[in-house]
């Protein structure tokens, strides 16, 4: 059987996730449940569950955590053939506290010197995934190392040269950067190479120095984006192109279990909508009801039941 053409390319760090069993500070937790993490991996899993063919570029250590991640990818329909096994560097991992009342959980990362931080241009396949329609990047990959930053820039440049759509989620991780100035400059450089930019409101304010969703969107439209969607949390999302703008209403969540991964669910919904000509879906809201970073990402049937009814989007024409 001929192999399907790749729909989406993404790259980043796949990590093991250890979730606290009890609602205690991480220093006091004695039991953890293992799962998986990584913003780009979450998006890859979400799109694979919707039936898309996803090429995921990463690296894991030659250890049990890496083996678990490779098995997980295969079980979710994410082809692990572009995930390099690095015998000299470990798989990154993170600890996540059990938060209550919908609060953001305490998180600790252990990724310095990880296998994924050693990713470089040498990891790009020679054929550059012919036929792929879209590249999705975040601001995490360029923060991991100089070689990862070069990789992100090159992937964005090649995608634009090949006529692919490029989506970019800033997904800021300030602790990974040498300085805030370096983070802002590099993330905005990559955003200027994207067709679609997906900042959160707080991220947009930090990156652009502007306050309102309208002004944040205008900042990226002026730098070449064709669509900017500013995430507004429970209020939904503000979107803008050069010709129209509007607000897509949020999807109510009755009980917030964990906030981590909601942005990746949102990106999954936007990308699936871009590829299929559907309205941006509310996958991010569903993720809030699950503890694992990608546990709540919907299947195709679940996504169709979640699509908002007509009338939930307010549009304004320029």
């Amino acid at each position: 059987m001929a192999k399907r053409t790749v729909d989406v390319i993404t790259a980043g760090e796949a990590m093991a996730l250890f979730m606290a069993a009890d609602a205690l500070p991480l220093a006091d937790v004695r039991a953890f449940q293992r799962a998986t993490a990584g913003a780009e991996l979450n998006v890859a899993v979400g799109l694979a569950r919707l039936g898309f063919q996803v090429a995921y570029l990463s690296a894991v250590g030659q250890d049990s955590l890496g083996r678990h991640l490779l098995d997980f990818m295969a079980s979710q329909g994410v082809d692990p053939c572009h995930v390099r096994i690095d015998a000299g560097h470990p798989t990154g991992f993170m600890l996540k506290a059990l938060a209550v009342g919908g609060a953001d959980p305490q998180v600790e990362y252990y990724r310095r010197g990880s296998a994924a931080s050693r990713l470089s241009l040498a990891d790009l396949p020679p054929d550059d995934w012919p036929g792929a329609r879209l590249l999705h990047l975040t601001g995490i990959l360029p923060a991991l190392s100089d070689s990862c930053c070069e990789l992100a820039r090159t992937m964005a440049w090649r995608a634009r040269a090949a006529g692919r759509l490029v989506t970019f989620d800033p997904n800021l991780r300030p602790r990974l950067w040498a300085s805030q100035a370096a983070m802002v400059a590099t993330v905005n450089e990559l955003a200027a190479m994207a067709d679609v930019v997906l900042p959160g409101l707080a991220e947009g304010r930090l990156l652009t120095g502007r306050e309102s969703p309208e002004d944040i969107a205008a900042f990226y439209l002026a730098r070449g984006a064709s669509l900017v969607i500013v995430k507004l949390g429970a209020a939904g999302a503000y979107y803008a192109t050069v010709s129209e703008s509007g607000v897509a209403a949020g999807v109510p969540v009755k009980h917030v279990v964990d906030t981590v991964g909601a942005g990746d669910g949102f990106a999954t919904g936007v990308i699936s909508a871009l590829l299929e000509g559907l309205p941006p879906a509310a996958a991010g809201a569903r993720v809030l009801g699950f503890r694992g970073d990608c546990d709540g990402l919907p299947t195709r049937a679940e996504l169709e039941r979640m699509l908002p009814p007509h009338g939930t989007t307010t549009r304004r024409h320029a």
Side-chain angles (χ1 to χ4, degrees):
M1 180 182 296
K3 189 173 182 178
R4 282 181 52 193
T5 300
V6 168
D7 298 305
V8 178
I9 308 162
T10 190
E13 180 167 29
M15 292 185 294
L17 167 62
F18 294 93
M19 302 183 296
D22 302 301
L24 298 169
L26 285 174
D28 299 324
V29 175
R30 299 177 63 87
F32 292 84
Q33 178 184 354
R34 183 169 67 177
T36 63
E40 302 87 357
L41 177 60
N42 294 339
V43 172
V45 169
L47 292 170
R49 288 180 182 173
L50 296 176
F52 296 102
Q53 188 74 16
V54 184
Y56 176 60
L57 181 68
S58 190
V60 297
Q62 193 172 30
D63 47 40
S64 60
L65 299 182
R67 182 70 261 165
H68 174 73
L69 283 163
L70 290 169
D71 290 344
F72 172 77
M73 292 175 206
S75 73
Q76 297 299 310
V78 176
D79 189 347
C81 72
H82 296 294
V83 180
R84 174 169 51 81
I85 299 174
D86 187 333
H89 299 87
T91 303
F93 69 94
M94 60 182 284
L95 307 179
K96 182 166 69 171
L98 174 57
V100 294
D104 292 338
Q106 179 190 2
V107 174
E108 290 184 358
Y109 293 98
Y110 297 86
R111 62 202 312 174
R112 187 180 301 276
S114 68
S117 73
R118 311 289 292 187
L119 286 166
S120 71
L121 295 182
D123 291 295
L124 285 173
D127 63 358
D128 194 34
W129 298 288
R133 300 164 60 192
L134 184 146
L135 168 69
H136 178 67
L137 292 173
T138 80
I140 299 174
L141 177 62
L144 298 178
S145 66
D146 289 344
S147 64
C148 285
C149 190
E150 182 183 22
L151 175 63
R153 287 190 180 106
T154 300
M155 292 183 74
W157 180 83
R158 289 188 181 182
R160 293 299 294 267
R164 296 181 184 125
L165 197 66
V166 180
T167 57
F168 182 72
D169 185 344
N171 225 320
L172 299 183
R173 298 290 188 273
R175 285 179 290 180
L176 294 178
W177 293 91
S179 69
Q180 180 172 299
M183 176 180 72
V184 170
T186 305
V187 169
N188 281 338
E189 176 192 356
L190 286 167
M193 302 173 74
D195 300 287
V196 181
V197 184
L198 307 169
L201 182 58
E203 289 178 327
R205 287 170 171 167
L206 191 156
L207 290 168
T208 70
R210 302 183 179 187
E211 285 296 313
S212 71
E214 293 83 358
D215 287 344
I216 292 167
F219 178 93
Y220 290 113
L221 289 173
R223 283 156 178 79
S226 57
L227 170 65
V228 181
I229 305 178
V230 182
K231 293 167 279 188
L232 305 176
Y238 172 81
Y239 70 90
T241 68
V242 294
S243 60
E244 68 173 345
S245 62
V247 176
V251 176
V253 178
K254 292 181 180 179
H255 179 56
V256 176
V257 175
D258 194 311
T259 58
V260 176
D264 305 326
F266 183 89
T268 299
V270 169
I271 292 169
S272 68
L274 291 170
L275 293 173
E276 297 197 341
L278 298 172
R286 190 171 190 271
V287 176
L288 295 172
F290 297 81
R291 283 212 67 203
D293 287 10
C294 60
D295 291 351
L297 292 169
T299 62
R300 171 66 59 183
E302 290 166 338
L303 177 63
E304 290 175 352
R305 290 196 295 270
M306 291 162 55
L307 286 174
H310 295 298
T312 57
T313 299
T314 303
R315 295 187 177 182
R316 296 191 296 272
H317 292 275

